[in-house]
Amino acid sequence: MEEGLIKRMIASIRCGSCGQHYEEAHIDIIEHSEELWFLKVICSSCHVGCLVAAIIREDAKPEVITDLTEAELERFKDLEGVREDDLLDMHKFLKDFDGDFPRLFNQG
Ligand SMILES: [Zn+2]
């Protein structure tokens, strides 16, 4: 998967704050390993940053996980050995999550 392709894919999603599409110029690839991509995007309209985690497989529909703010991104950067299973868990988790990140992180 080329960086240009993944940026185009991320640019097709919308900012969670204002609904604008992200622009490729404001998408930074933090790291990727095989099917897993972590990207940081900054909305060009409202300047809210967020983390995008994407699972890209050649033979399947890409799965994009968003809705993490810059502060939460810092938390994830400190985590070691994030595996695909972890992301899938996170994806399921975010579907039901009520947005109370402080409570979540204080548990740990
Ligand atoms: Zn925005």
Side-chain angles (χ1 to χ4, degrees):
M1 180 68 66
E2 292 175 30
E3 294 192 0
L5 283 176
I6 190 139
K7 285 190 178 181
R8 273 202 290 282
M9 194 187 96
I10 300 305
S12 72
I13 64 176
R14 292 174 186 274
C15 170
S17 295
C18 72
Q20 282 288 320
H21 283 290
Y22 293 120
E23 293 180 12
E24 291 180 40
H26 296 119
I27 299 169
D28 289 318
I29 294 168
I30 301 166
E31 63 178 85
H32 89 272
S33 60
E34 310 206 350
E35 299 165 335
L36 267 185
W37 293 73
F38 284 98
L39 303 100
K40 182 180 174 181
V41 296
I42 306 287
C43 176
S44 58
S45 178
C46 70
H47 303 289
V48 169
C50 87
L51 171 70
V52 176
I55 301 169
I56 312 291
R57 292 196 185 90
E58 300 294 333
D59 59 347
K61 200 165 175 262
E63 186 149 9
V64 177
I65 302 162
T66 60
D67 292 343
L68 296 173
T69 66
E70 217 160 342
E72 287 132 26
L73 171 62
E74 293 300 313
R75 304 292 302 227
F76 279 96
K77 274 167 66 178
D78 292 337
L79 296 178
E80 290 183 17
V82 176
R83 293 166 301 125
E84 184 174 336
D85 286 351
D86 297 328
L87 279 186
L88 290 173
D89 286 346
M90 187 171 89
H91 181 61
K92 289 180 205 150
F93 169 78
L94 285 174
K95 278 186 177 170
D96 301 326
F97 185 45
D98 63 2
D100 191 350
F101 274 101
R103 188 190 69 200
L104 172 69
F105 287 125
N106 285 335
Q107 286 174 353

